[in-house]
Amino acid sequence: MRHTISSKVKNKGTKNRNRSRMLDAVARYIEENGPSTVYSISDGARFKNGRLIKNNNSFKSTVSLALILSRDPRFVKVEKLTRENTYLWGNACEVITED
């Protein structure tokens, strides 16, 4: 018989830790490549160990990544691309210093 851990006992801090590592990887990607769409971020952003963020268990979809980016104060929507109906995301500190 296998013992499974119920959701009440499971450590809830791992989800936030994984999300913060993913957002750190996104911040590094934007810093290196400039403002980018969520699709290019998910295809190119890597953790410090070299793995893509989209291959991680905490990455659900590009829609959820966009929601997470909109809630994090480190990221801002720079420009709306009407043809693709997406936004360019950038680091908030870089956008403020450019103005």
Side-chain angles (χ1 to χ4, degrees), residues 33-80:
N33 300 315
S36 304
T37 63
V38 175
Y39 300 107
S40 62
I41 291 170
S42 66
D43 288 338
R46 295 180 179 269
F47 291 108
K48 286 184 179 179
N49 64 4
R51 292 182 180 175
L52 289 170
I53 63 167
K54 70 178 182 179
N55 294 338
N56 190 17
N57 291 335
S58 63
F59 182 78
K60 303 294 184 213
S61 67
T62 54
V63 174
S64 65
L65 179 61
L67 287 172
I68 293 169
L69 291 178
S70 65
R71 292 180 187 148
D72 195 303
R74 293 185 287 179
F75 305 103
V76 293
K77 293 177 183 175
V78 177
E79 180 184 349
K80 182 171 182 172

Side-chain angles (χ1 to χ4, degrees), residues 78-92:
V78 177
E79 180 184 349
K80 182 171 182 172
L81 303 175
T82 54
R83 180 173 283 175
E84 291 91 15
N85 197 22
T86 59
Y87 288 96
L88 283 178
W89 290 89
N91 283 341

